[in-house]
Amino acid sequence: MTTPIGRAISRRGRDRLAIERTRPVSNDLIDLSGDELEGTTTDRVRADTIAALAQHRGDHYTRRPGMLSLCQAVTDSLAKDNLSVDAENGVLITGSVQEARFIGLRAVATDKTIYLPQASYLSDYAPAARFANTQTEYFDPAGPLPQLHEGIPILPNPNPATGQCYPREMLERFAHWAADRDLFVISDETLAPLCRSGFPMLHLAALPGMTERTLTLGSFAGIPGLDAWQVSWLAGPNSLVSPARGLKLAITLCSAAVSQHAALAGLSSGSARLAARDDSRVNALKALLEEHHIPYLEPHTVAFVVADVRALGGGDVVAEASARGGVRVTSGSEFGDPNLIRITAASTFFEQGLARLNSIMAMLEKGS
Amino acid sequence: MSNIPPSQPILTADQLRQAAADETRLRYLLMDLANRLPDVISLGQGDPDLDTPPHVIAAAQDAIRNGRADIPAPPEGLPELREAIACKLQRDNHIPAEADNLLVTNGSQEALYLVVQGLLDPGDEILVPDPRYSGYDQAIQQAGGKVVFLPTMPEHDFELQPQVVAESATAHAKVLLLITPGNPTASIISPTNLRAIANIARERGLIVISDEIYEKHIYPPGEHLSIASLSGMFERTVTINGFSKSYAMTGWRVGYVAAPSEFIRVLTTLKRSVSRRTTTVSQYAALAALNGPQDFLEGYHAIYSRRRAILLNGLRQLGFYCAEPLGAFFIFVNAAATGMPALELCYRLLNEGHVLIFPGDSFGEKWTDWLRVSYLQDESALQEALARIARVLKRKEV
């Protein structure tokens, strides 16, 4: 550090710099890692948003927790799944999924211990957890649940580390356990809008005894192409959402009005939420894995397929070989199981990426 | 509306007084109350009422139409926007910034949040002029920083004095926060005083956060100088700015930080944790704001100048003492002559006159006789607001 400011950087700042992941950089790298869910907005979303801008509805701050019409649209969609939330006081529009996680964690879990499933996507939570001065411990939602009476369990559902939803019986057992111990819970349901038909996702907060103790993190991921627009949401009882609102004010005041209009247009045009994207890509990915005799977890969402590549040398080997071959996938060592890789179907260049993956796997098979 | 009868208060004065312990909450409570009343004229918020310029909106629409809005930008910001901001800082502010000295943020609020997290460790002292914009409070609190207030005085029109900085900058002080033009006081730190403050910062090893969000809103004889442009200051200054106030773009949420690149790298990693990136379409709008015609800024300035004169004259005619507002779009007003604490006066103005004004309490506990009045309404609304204030004051006398 050579400047006075460099020497003045806080410990938090230095820590973050040290743990920042380094990634292979290549202009020709097709990203199937799932860190970004790429896509393009629909004509309807574009037209509605352009019209909103023409009417100067993007010029000014919105209502601070978010446009009431958008909050109402969120609660309407939750109501279809038997989850009742107060649009005025129970919903906060955030700037991105990451901001929803950051605010949720800081609002509910500062200075506490958080409990994550052993197979989870830690990198999504770790930075926010460090900010919130939390300790992280792990548990197996399907196994014996820990005997804790404080701390904040976080349940990512669908789980980005497996691409699967938790079954009803497991959620009910979890809910009973949390209620019994009077715990607040964060239910990260940001992938829920991408669930495939036949794989319904249950809202944890809709289970008996959970409405008043669950902060639900959600997204507009079901609206194609909205990732770059930085708009997401969280919802829950006012007791949990109120501190989150205060944090949002301190961090970004409110989310971009243009993005909120885009989300509203997406939701009202019917392209959103449970109207999941065409999952033909997921089927193509499954077919590729089957062709190479690679076992995989049945994907419950159109976002990811998680495959067991130990026969090819493990997640790190496949991720490195893939990067050399022009495709970025995520090694399971980033989310708790080094035998796995995670591949997304939500990429603009998916077909080309799939062709490259085919060659890479063939090469690895020969090598092994 | 010619005469408003006193309405049944939705919020009691006691509730308001309790909320006064938290300055930000107090402002939002008043805004909430205002939203529940009919026909309120807001002289409270700092959201420019003017429209975002048409060419900026057109650029955003174009980005949406051709799909560029759907492509996530790098966490540090669009390269072309960072280049454009660097050019602006070199040209307008004489700050030697290049693209890698810049981080684009979701509004300047995120910029200040990240900067404070990146600089303050628990127990570190940050020197903050008083009265202050309380939007910094939570960021400082979360970083564990300790605020040391730098008093500013009406007799100096609330301009921060170098001597005050020198007296307060003990060995424990790490960061000096400057907001010029200032919020809520509309004061400006003159180039002479700013140079003296820079000398103190260099001598005492202080890092300076210079919040210049109101830089385009300057009134004679005010003059804006960026402290990072002074010799030896760029490497110890973090400049915060954005598009909200200058270009009437609060809804788009684009701000930026200029600082030595090693600090920008740290802020970028922090940003990944907090929000990951800034909305792409908003960045294209900001790019158009910088690269497009700038002549409309003069028109905006003329509008604000006329409004400022109307409100300043009107308030003075009503017997209020007003500090000379040299910048921003606020007037900091002493209400002691009314015989009412500012909080009570604001409460009555809102309930009885349907005029929203923020009490000085919402910018620091000492400022219970002061009001921050903004002039982000058209001229007829300002005239009407003055008439309503006069009626409430007269009613009180009766």
Side-chain angles (χ1 to χ4, degrees), chain A residues 1 7 15 23 31 48 50 72 88 98 107 112 117 126 138 153 168 171 184 194 200 218 254 272 275 283 291-292 348:
Chain A
M1 298 297 177
R7 293 188 287 277
D15 287 351
R23 288 183 171 145
D31 190 353
D48 283 7
I50 286 169
Q72 189 63 58
E88 198 159 338
Q98 182 63 28
K112 295 178 179 162
Y138 300 94
R168 172 181 279 275
L171 287 176
F184 289 112
L194 300 176
C254 61
N283 290 331
E291 192 182 323
H292 290 277
T348 309

Side-chain angles (χ1 to χ4, degrees), chain A residues 138-154:
Chain A
Y138 300 94
F139 72 104
D140 178 3
L145 294 167
Q147 295 300 310
L148 55 100
H149 289 277
E150 54 185 22
I152 306 292
I154 299 175

Side-chain angles (χ1 to χ4, degrees), chain A residues 176-249:
Chain A
H176 183 74
W177 166 81
D180 215 31
R181 281 160 180 74
D182 198 20
L183 297 171
F184 289 112
V185 176
I186 294 176
S187 184
D188 185 338
E189 301 175 6
T190 51
L191 289 177
L194 300 176
C195 281
R196 303 166 71 203
S197 61
F199 298 100
M201 202 281 311
L202 293 174
H203 296 291
L204 185 65
L207 295 176
M210 293 306 289
T211 306
E212 290 304 311
R213 62 180 68 255
T214 305
L215 187 66
T216 302
L217 311 184
S219 78
F220 300 105
I223 304 169
L226 224 56
D227 210 37
W229 295 66
Q230 298 286 283
V231 58
S232 196
W233 56 267
L234 56 80
N238 189 41
S239 59
L240 298 180
V241 174
S242 180
R245 277 199 300 267
L247 277 166
K248 171 73 178 167
L249 284 176

Side-chain angles (χ1 to χ4, degrees), chain A residues 73-84 203 267 270 272-274:
Chain A
V74 168
T75 58
D76 288 349
S77 70
L78 292 173
K80 287 177 191 160
D81 298 334
N82 302 315
L83 177 54
S84 175
H203 296 291
L267 286 179
R273 247 198 128 246
L274 297 176

Side-chain angles (χ1 to χ4, degrees), chain A residues 1-14 16-17 20 23 35-36 38-41 45-46 49-51 53-54 56 58-62 64 88 95-96 98-100 102 106 123-124 127-128 131 225 227-230 243 246-247 249-259, chain B residues 24 28 31 36 46-52 57 60-61 64-67 69-72 106 109-110 113 117-122 133 135 138 142-143 174 207 234-238 245 248-253 259-260 262-263 265-266 269-270 272-282:
Chain A
M1 298 297 177
T2 55
T3 65
I5 286 182
R7 293 188 287 277
I9 289 167
S10 66
R11 279 193 294 277
R12 179 185 290 110
R14 289 196 299 269
R16 284 298 307 133
L17 200 57
E20 182 74 358
R23 288 183 171 145
D35 281 355
E36 312 284 356
E38 296 174 3
T40 54
T41 42
V45 167
R46 292 182 187 194
T49 310
I50 286 169
L53 292 182
H56 292 286
D59 293 3
H60 301 286
Y61 294 126
T62 66
R64 293 304 197 269
E88 198 159 338
S96 63
Q98 182 63 28
E99 192 184 85
F102 181 80
R106 286 231 60 158
S123 60
D124 284 344
F131 255 100
D227 210 37
W229 295 66
Q230 298 286 283
L247 277 166
L249 284 176
I251 296 169
T252 50
L253 287 179
C254 61
S255 301
V258 61
S259 303
Chain B
T24 304
Y28 280 92
M31 282 193 270
R36 291 160 197 266
D47 180 7
D49 60 309
L50 301 179
D51 289 336
T52 300
I57 292 174
Q61 290 171 319
I64 294 169
R65 220 173 269 121
N66 63 29
D70 298 341
I71 302 170
N106 290 294
Q109 184 72 28
E110 186 186 36
Y113 183 84
Q117 306 309 312
L119 285 175
L120 291 183
D121 280 314
Y133 167 59
Q138 202 170 157
Q142 287 188 11
K174 183 175 184 181
I207 302 302
F234 179 68
E235 51 265 40
R236 62 172 63 254
T237 302
V238 184
K245 312 296 184 184
M249 289 177 65
T250 50
W252 300 80
R253 313 307 304 129
E262 58 189 339
F263 188 54
R265 283 196 295 277
V266 168
T269 64
L270 291 171
R272 281 186 216 265
S273 306
V274 174
S275 67
R276 194 160 280 190
R277 57 174 60 88
T278 301
T279 309
T280 303
V281 63
S282 295

Side-chain angles (χ1 to χ4, degrees), chain A residues 5, chain B residues 85 89 95 97-98 101-103 228 234 237-241 256-260 263-264 267:
Chain A
I5 286 182
Chain B
I85 295 169
L89 289 173
I95 295 175
E98 304 290 341
N101 298 122
L102 288 156
L103 172 71
F234 179 68
T237 302
V238 184
T239 303
I240 292 175
N241 208 328
Y256 58 87
V257 181
F263 188 54
I264 292 297
L267 293 183

